Amino acid sequence: MSTPTAAPGRRLPLVLRNRAFGAVWLGQVLTQAGTRMFQVGTSWWLIGYAASGDGGFAAGLLMAVSTLPAVALAPLVARAIARCSHRSLLRAAAAGAGTAAAALAGWAAASDLPVVAVYAAALALATCQAFFDPCLTTSVPQLVDDQDIEAATGFELSTQSLASLGGALLGALVVDVAGVAGLAAGCAVANGTAAVLITTVRFRTPTDGTGPGADPAEPAPRRTLRQILGALPYVRAILLCFTAANLFTTAVFVVMPLYTATVLHGDGATVSLLEASLGLGTLIGSFTGARVPGRPTVAGSACLGAMAVALAVPGVIAARPVIAGALLVTGWCVGVIGVRFVALFQRLVPASDKPAFFAVMQAVLGATFPVASLLFGLLGDHLSARTLCLIQAAGLVPAALALLLLPGQARTTAELAADPDDETAAHPAPSATPTPAAGGTR
């Protein structure tokens, strides 16, 4: 599974010394980058080329369609992850996305492309990604040793940062140069390459009585989604806080293209700059989040407060460098929040609950994305983009306060890391102070 370190006392990065995890991680980078490139590019295409007068609604509807599968298919995704080979599921998801993108590329190259075809392709890509992401999160213990879980989580969370960075840089630019045909072709190549990479990897067989390949004579008990969240009230409270925050943070993917077109009067390069600033900040936050001091709820509340200030900046100052800096700060906060909370999930959630839990986590956190996309898209056709930025900022303040007022955790992250097998940590007693789990913004 692993290669030797380069020298005594020094270790190579996890993606280099664990070739299996490195290949799967690179596959995730490619799938998410391809999907993100498609979303950014088609959103800009709708606002700048296809739609007339109602570009905000058109882009908002695209983003809503792109997030519905993760919410609507959560129970199906959980069952598929629990019953199917993880490698086969990951490979099928990547190959399915590549096929859908290739079909759209061929259609766009052969004739005029109807807008409905773009929406259909976005739905297909999002459906494949809804299976891919939670399956990979669940598979981390099958790819790395226990002591590498935090490092693997950091790399996995950084994937979205890399995807946002790469996809944002390329999406709008590719549309300006090659249209939707070139955009879809690039997405198809990225997903096809990911499917090939995953085919070369061997996953460890689970030895805890869970997952595909487990001993059928001793099946681990599985709980429903309601039972899982019901047994983790503190986790549920944190998820609700971040779900409320996502109603305002995720609107940035609709607001920024509108801001570029109506306030900055820019082109695809400007969209790429702003989107890349957000992705770069998230990437930095993913790798530095573990060093941020304080309890997760305190750190998370501070990050939401900082995001509120940063998102208000474009509503006051319409200067490209200033806005790029504000989005860099916003992205950094997103990365920190993800690392601080999701790493705890890997240790605190029982292994038998992980397939369902990570699927429902993605669904709960993404539930507001379609609403936010449609709401801010509609508002964007009637209010200025600057006003939308100020609305985003104001909406984060209550969520930050609610997170700050939650009870403190029973054990510190350091204690959990030092004693990962403690059953009281993984299964806290009902009378004990609950331990926080995860949240994040996407």
Side-chain angles (χ1 to χ4, degrees):
M1 291 293 296
S2 303
T3 57
T5 55
R10 296 184 62 187
R11 306 184 77 193
L12 291 171
L14 180 62
V15 292
L16 296 180
R17 56 187 166 84
N18 186 323
R19 293 177 181 174
F21 177 77
V24 175
W25 174 75
L26 181 57
Q28 188 186 27
V29 171
L30 290 170
T31 60
Q32 288 195 346
T35 300
R36 184 74 187 120
M37 179 178 70
F38 185 84
Q39 291 175 351
V40 171
T42 52
S43 179
W44 176 244
W45 177 73
L46 288 169
I47 291 175
Y49 296 92
S52 58
D54 57 352
F57 175 75
L61 181 60
L62 176 75
M63 290 299 175
V65 166
S66 298
T67 53
L68 280 175
V71 179
L73 300 179
L76 177 62
V77 170
R79 288 195 296 271
I81 294 173
R83 297 174 182 175
C84 300
S85 162
H86 291 169
R87 183 178 72 164
S88 297
L89 188 58
L90 291 170
R91 181 176 55 200
T99 301
L104 184 70
W107 189 346
S111 63
D112 291 337
L113 190 68
V115 172
V116 67
V118 174
Y119 286 117
L123 182 63
L125 292 175
T127 299
C128 293
Q129 206 70 50
F131 283 89
F132 192 102
D133 291 339
C135 183
L136 178 58
T137 303
T138 307
S139 302
V140 166
Q142 298 176 39
L143 296 168
V144 304
D145 297 326
D146 183 77
Q147 63 269 23
D148 288 328
I149 283 180
E150 277 85 0
T153 300
F155 274 107
E156 187 199 350
L157 291 177
S158 73
T159 301
Q160 180 149 355
S161 315
L162 289 170
S164 293
L165 181 60
L169 280 171
L170 295 175
L173 290 175
V174 170
V175 165
D176 280 350
V177 174
V180 175
L183 186 72
C187 184
V189 170
N191 281 280
T193 304
V196 172
L197 283 171
I198 293 167
T199 300
T200 67
V201 174
R202 294 183 61 185
F203 285 55
R204 294 171 176 172
T205 301
T207 57
D208 57 0
T210 66
D215 184 358
E218 298 181 0
R222 299 192 185 279
R223 297 189 289 179
T224 64
L225 301 180
R226 180 178 296 181
Q227 289 173 330
I228 293 171
L229 289 180
L232 300 170
Y234 198 77
V235 171
R236 186 173 65 246
I238 291 177
L239 287 178
L240 288 175
C241 288
F242 283 114
T243 298
N246 277 1
L247 179 62
F248 299 94
T249 58
T250 55
V252 72
F253 299 120
V254 175
V255 173
M256 282 301 106
L258 285 172
Y259 194 97
T260 299
T262 61
V263 178
L264 298 179
H265 305 291
D267 55 9
T270 304
V271 177
S272 297
L273 169 65
L274 300 184
E275 295 275 3
S277 298
L278 185 66
L280 179 60
T282 311
L283 179 63
I284 297 172
S286 296
F287 284 105
T288 60
R291 299 186 180 93
V292 175
R295 296 199 319 266
T297 49
V298 175
S301 177
C303 285
L304 288 179
M307 289 172 67
V309 175
L311 289 174
V313 169
V316 180
I317 304 173
R320 285 176 176 80
V322 175
I323 297 171
L327 291 175
L328 186 74
V329 173
T330 299
W332 180 83
C333 293
V334 170
V336 171
I337 287 172
V339 168
R340 290 303 304 270
F341 290 103
V342 176
L344 283 177
F345 268 164
Q346 291 288 2
R347 294 197 184 278
L348 298 182
V349 177
S352 60
D353 289 338
K354 283 183 179 179
F357 182 82
F358 284 117
V360 77
M361 181 190 75
Q362 180 173 331
V364 169
L365 293 176
T368 55
F369 204 155
V371 178
S373 299
L374 289 174
L375 176 61
F376 278 85
L378 285 170
L379 290 176
D381 291 331
H382 299 88
L383 301 176
S384 70
R386 284 188 167 188
T387 301
L388 296 183
C389 293
L390 296 177
I391 292 174
Q392 283 184 273
L396 286 178
V397 175
L401 292 176
L403 188 63
L404 182 63
L405 294 176
L406 289 178
Q409 65 184 31
R411 304 181 66 197
T412 65
T413 304
E415 289 171 331
L416 290 169
D419 190 13
D421 296 326
D422 187 343
E423 289 298 318
T424 62
H427 305 276
S431 60
T433 303
T435 307
T441 52
R442 283 184 177 245

